[in-house]
Amino acid sequence: MKILVAVKRVIDYNVKIRVKPDHSDVDLTNVKMALNPFCEIAVEEAVRLKEKDVATEVVVVSIGPKAAQEQLRTALALGADRAIHVQTDERVESLAVAKLLAKVVEEEQPSLVLLGKQAIDTDNNQTGQMLAALSGLAQGTFASEVVVEVDKLQVTREIDGGLQTLELSLPAIVTTDLRLNEPRYAKLPDIMKAKKKPMDVKTPEEMGVETNTRVSLVKVESPAERKGGIKVGSVDELVDKLKNEAKVIS
Ligand code: AMP
């Protein structure tokens, strides 16, 4: 069974986001970038399925600038076998990402495609769903457990107030939630080995996929500064302030 995992290069989750002075976007100058955490979970799941001899090959794919090869190398160090880099310096919106991934799915014919449930930079939570629609494949989103059977897959999903289990026929698309697994750290020898693993580089034009943008980013604003708190001396004082100053209770 071949597994394809889509991974995105995003701003590291520990970094404090800075907005450009003209509010046109987030400022990425000299900012640490990383593998999107949900994509890391997707890679870990694929590698575990390979370790259990359920999967025979794990292929990772990323769409983005040349620097996205760093995140592909990380995925290779975590245990993926080979990488595909769709290189573009343009901002690629979800529909275009899904179209490019659909093309890779068509070429690679994986039995399972794993994606993160969302990329933490744009919080779109839609690429997996779009890919499932474009490829005509079954989808299981927000997976907290994945069990592969002969020609089907059981996916447990985290939904409001509980868990839902679905059975999908293969090939299928699954997006990963936080509790699916705890990703491993790449070991130094694996980081060295990853440098020699194959990486196929292509462009959207070579793939014949149009990536025109239909959505433009108008502006980005930082959240309002939090005002400093105060300490109250008693419950009575607190109630008084909530009633008469904050006016949140009557
Ligand atoms: P999103 O719909 O943008 O929140 O992203 C959900 C998931 O789609 C991510 O966790 C990735 O698995 C995949 N994805 C989004 N953008 C890209 C990209 N540029 N390259 C590869 N995979 C992507």
Side-chain angles (χ1 to χ4, degrees), residues 5-9 36-39 42 61-64 92 94 97-98 101 114-130 175-176:
V5 188
V7 298
K8 188 177 184 193
R9 172 184 171 87
N36 179 48
F38 292 105
C39 300
V61 55
S62 192
I63 297 146
V92 190
S94 302
V97 171
L101 292 176
L114 290 170
L115 300 94
K117 76 164 177 184
Q118 80 193 54
I120 62 161
D121 53 356
T122 48
D123 274 351
N124 282 334
N125 179 0
Q126 58 190 5
T127 310
Q129 294 87 325
M130 287 176 167
T175 71
T176 61

Side-chain angles (χ1 to χ4, degrees), residues 137-152:
L137 300 180
Q139 65 166 320
T141 51
F142 315 147
S144 61
E145 196 185 350
V146 172
V147 179
V148 182
E149 292 164 10
V150 180
D151 54 358
K152 52 189 193 220

Side-chain angles (χ1 to χ4, degrees), residues 36-91:
N36 179 48
F38 292 105
C39 300
E40 221 173 317
I41 293 171
V43 172
E44 176 67 31
E45 196 63 18
V47 171
R48 286 189 192 186
L49 287 169
K50 192 172 171 208
E51 287 167 348
K52 284 191 218 150
D53 288 329
V54 176
T56 46
E57 190 185 23
V58 177
V59 183
V60 282
V61 55
S62 192
I63 297 146
K66 187 157 198 302
Q69 291 186 10
E70 286 167 24
Q71 281 62 48
L72 284 168
R73 289 284 170 210
T74 304
L76 292 170
L78 291 170
D81 299 295
R82 64 185 168 90
I84 300 168
H85 179 212
V86 180
Q87 193 171 323
T88 172
D89 289 322
E90 304 297 317
R91 194 172 67 83

